[in-house]
């Protein structure tokens, strides 16, 4: 196993341990939504967003425990967005991570409500006393996560993604949509580190921009995997983007040109990361992993 996979697994394990403990403090008989929430949250996600956060944290020597807690909140938002994305009103997918999607395992209203409950759980985690930070930093974290999930981030990106289906959409518009749908949450992974480190707005913006572009690269590789990947390693049927008429760079430019664009994006990101010197080597390694991933 490569050293990157080992580190990814460690981050995933520590994030899951924190989240499972957080659920332990809740009486499982007190809500019908805990079971579907856990099903959506612990169904084998890579926890790649948490890994980006942990590796960005190394640049500013941030305490690992704090990063795991912020990563746990991010993974709640991510799981929620996937549960809603799979619904018939959105992408209508029956499988996720090789298992039945939440609305297929339970039902649609359960997937909606347990998704909503994961969204609010993210903010409960950030505001909990587990996260030992001053009030100002906590407030900034909560604000930044709200902004990236909302009307200028994930929610708008998802709206555009669904609206663009079966239409001829320009490269610029596809990139803008993907930066919102997928990039913004990665943007938060990097920006949150600067917030915890008490950095100024200029540094925060620079890190957020790096994260957004990592998210764009992540989305392009996701689209390439849909085109060329193996459905058993991807965990859902492939070649669906073409069938659904999704606005992706692969569908617009073809696989080879999309790959060329992805490599160009990777080099631009790496150039920006390298400015942070030796401490950024693990973040660089995560970005380089993106284009080689097969899951
Ligand atoms: C969150 C406010 C808010 C609204 C929800 C449904 C929605 C709006 C947004 C969905 C956005 C979406 C589906 C983005 C896809 C990003 C993507 C490439 C997901 C796959 O991520 P992986 O590969 O998944 O990290 P794992 O399974 O590893 O966790």
């Amino acid at each position: 196993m490569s050293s990157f996979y080992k580190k990814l697994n460690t981050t995933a394990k520590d994030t899951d341990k924190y989240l499972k403990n957080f659920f332990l403090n809740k009486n499982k008989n007190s809500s019908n939504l805990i079971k579907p929430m856990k099903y959506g949250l612990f169904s084998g996600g890579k926890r790649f967003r948490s890994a980006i956060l942990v590796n960005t944290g190394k640049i500013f020597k941030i305490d690992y425990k704090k990063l795991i807690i912020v990563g746990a909140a991010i993974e709640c938002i991510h799981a929620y967005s996937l549960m809603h994305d799979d619904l018939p009103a959105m992408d209508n997918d029956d499988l996720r991570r090789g298992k039945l999607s939440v609305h297929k395992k339970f039902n649609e209203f359960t997937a909606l409500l347990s998704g909503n409950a994961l969204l609010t759980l993210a903010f409960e985690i950030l505001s909990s006393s587990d996260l030992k930070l001053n009030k100002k930093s906590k407030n900034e974290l909560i604000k930044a996560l709200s902004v990236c999930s909302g009307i200028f981030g994930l929610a708008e990106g998802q709206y555009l993604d669904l609206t663009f289906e079966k239409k001829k959409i320009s490269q610029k518009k596809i990139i803008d949509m993907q930066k919102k749908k997928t990039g913004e949450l990665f943007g938060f992974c990097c920006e949150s580190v600067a917030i915890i480190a008490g950095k100024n707005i200029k540094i925060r913006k620079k890190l957020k921009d790096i994260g957004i572009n990592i998210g764009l690269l992540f989305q392009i590789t996701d689209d390439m995997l849909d085109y060329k990947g193996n459905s058993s390693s991807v965990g859902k049927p492939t070649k669906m983007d073409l069938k659904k008429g999704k606005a992706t760079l692969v569908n617009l430019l073809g696989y080879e040109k999309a790959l060329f664009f992805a490599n160009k994006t990777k080099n631009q990101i790496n150039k920006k990361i390298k400015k942070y010197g030796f401490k950024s080597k693990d973040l660089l390694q995560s970005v380089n992993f993106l284009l080689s991933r097969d899951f």
Side-chain angles (χ1 to χ4, degrees), residues 237-255:
T238 48
K239 306 240 183 317
M240 292 308 284
D241 287 347
L242 201 58
K243 220 171 161 180
K244 292 176 180 168
K246 285 283 183 195
T248 68
L249 291 184
V250 178
N251 284 350
L252 181 75
L253 307 172
Y255 185 88

Side-chain angles (χ1 to χ4, degrees), residues 53 70 73-74 126 140-146 148 183-193 195 208 211-212:
L53 174 82
V70 177
I74 293 169
L126 287 186
E140 290 295 328
L141 281 178
I142 291 167
K143 188 175 168 193
L145 188 59
S146 316
C148 86
E184 280 285 333
L185 198 53
F186 280 94
F188 176 76
C189 295
C190 298
E191 186 190 7
S192 58
V193 166
I195 295 174
K208 181 167 180 174
I212 289 176

Side-chain angles (χ1 to χ4, degrees), residues 7-43:
K7 282 185 233 165
L8 187 64
N9 278 344
T10 307
T11 308
K13 256 195 231 154
D14 292 339
T15 308
D16 287 2
K17 194 171 155 198
Y18 174 79
L19 282 165
K20 281 181 179 154
N21 249 316
F22 203 82
F23 274 104
L24 270 186
N25 294 330
K26 300 189 182 294
N27 174 358
K28 66 172 183 276
N29 298 320
S30 61
S31 171
N32 293 295
L33 295 176
I34 291 181
K35 198 171 164 198
M37 284 166 83
K38 284 175 139 180
Y39 181 83
L41 192 56
F42 301 116
S43 50

Side-chain angles (χ1 to χ4, degrees), residues 114-243:
S114 50
N116 290 346
L118 277 171
L119 168 68
T120 53
L121 192 76
F123 297 101
E124 192 181 325
I125 289 173
L126 287 186
S127 52
S128 79
S129 56
D130 291 355
L131 186 58
K132 308 267 180 270
L133 281 177
N134 61 54
K135 278 189 183 153
K136 185 173 177 279
S137 304
K138 272 197 184 194
N139 202 44
E140 290 295 328
L141 281 178
I142 291 167
K143 188 175 168 193
L145 188 59
S146 316
V147 169
C148 86
S149 317
I151 54 170
F152 301 111
L154 262 82
E156 170 74 356
Q158 179 75 350
Y159 177 87
L160 293 172
D161 176 272
L162 295 167
T163 312
F164 287 174
E165 276 182 13
K166 299 192 173 72
K167 291 188 187 126
K168 176 108 174 116
I169 305 294
S170 69
Q171 177 167 340
K172 189 170 175 290
K173 282 189 172 166
I174 294 175
I175 290 171
D176 172 66
M177 173 269 285
Q178 296 194 332
K179 280 187 171 177
K180 288 182 172 126
K181 180 179 87 156
T182 311
E184 280 285 333
L185 198 53
F186 280 94
F188 176 76
C189 295
C190 298
E191 186 190 7
S192 58
V193 166
I195 295 174
I196 298 172
K199 299 292 173 191
N200 64 34
I201 198 75
K202 210 171 144 199
I203 299 178
R204 272 175 63 172
K205 277 191 175 155
K206 275 191 180 164
L207 279 163
K208 181 167 180 174
D209 177 69
I210 289 175
I212 289 176
N213 282 293
I214 293 175
L216 172 66
L217 183 59
F218 188 87
Q219 184 61 58
I220 301 170
T221 56
D222 203 68
D223 299 339
M224 294 197 302
L225 280 173
D226 176 79
Y227 181 80
K228 262 207 176 158
N230 175 310
S231 60
S232 63
S233 38
V234 176
K236 56 183 183 181
T238 48
K239 306 240 183 317
M240 292 308 284
D241 287 347
L242 201 58
K243 220 171 161 180

